[in-house]
Amino acid sequence: MPEPGPRMNGFSLGELCWLFCCPPCPSRIAAKLAFLPPEPTYTVLAPEQRGPGAPAPAPAPAAAAANAAAQPAPQQPEEGAGAGPGACSLHLSERADWQYSQRELDAVEVFFSRTARDNRLGCMFVRCAPSSRYTLLFSHGNAVDLGQMCSFYIGLGSRINCNIFSYDYSGYGVSSGKPSEKNLYADIDAAWQALRTR
């Protein structure tokens, strides 16, 4: 009987090669290893969902966050909503770890855009420096969403004196679709177009 070859974590070199190189869909394996969308830490509410004249909701306390988790998510506004001031509002869960006041939260504009692959993309514009000539297009890291990054954007924009535009990848936060490499390319293109046209 031939001597078995070297093993890595219990797998032979041939088994590792088959796992990562030979299946008919290596992109599915890459997607499972590369994309880790978290549970959404925010919702986007249209004015009719808040009621007439209602202010944007404040960050949720622990009890409200627990109750919100038990209720179904509200229907999301369509893309393009949020064109006017106050048209859509951001509601953060406690897991978003908001570190600022309502004044800073009011400087955050949320809206939706549509990608070339027909996914709805959650977008966020943070006006950190109203007199700034520059806006940074920020693609956040893996395993976070816009709700978790919102406080970071306020701090970053204030420090470098620019506004921040960011978006959630397909399958992250309130964005529709599934995380994939092709969707990722469509997402950044749609975000760039939204930033340029809004």
Side-chain angles (χ1 to χ4, degrees), residues 145-192:
D145 67 6
L146 291 177
Q148 293 167 305
M149 295 298 294
C150 195
S151 287
F152 173 77
Y153 295 151
I154 295 274
L156 176 65
S158 299
R159 284 183 185 92
I160 63 175
N161 194 35
C162 75
N163 300 312
I164 308 289
F165 180 88
S166 191
Y167 60 99
D168 262 337
Y169 312 121
S170 295
Y172 285 64
V174 296
S175 295
S176 66
K178 293 188 178 192
S180 74
E181 185 179 353
K182 288 181 182 178
N183 281 341
L184 188 64
Y185 296 134
D187 296 344
I188 185 65
D189 186 52
W192 172 243

Side-chain angles (χ1 to χ4, degrees), residues 105-121:
L105 188 61
D106 292 341
V108 176
E109 179 185 345
V110 290
F111 60 93
F112 290 94
S113 185
R114 185 72 59 183
T115 72
R117 296 179 57 88
D118 205 32
N119 290 326
R120 195 170 61 178
L121 199 64

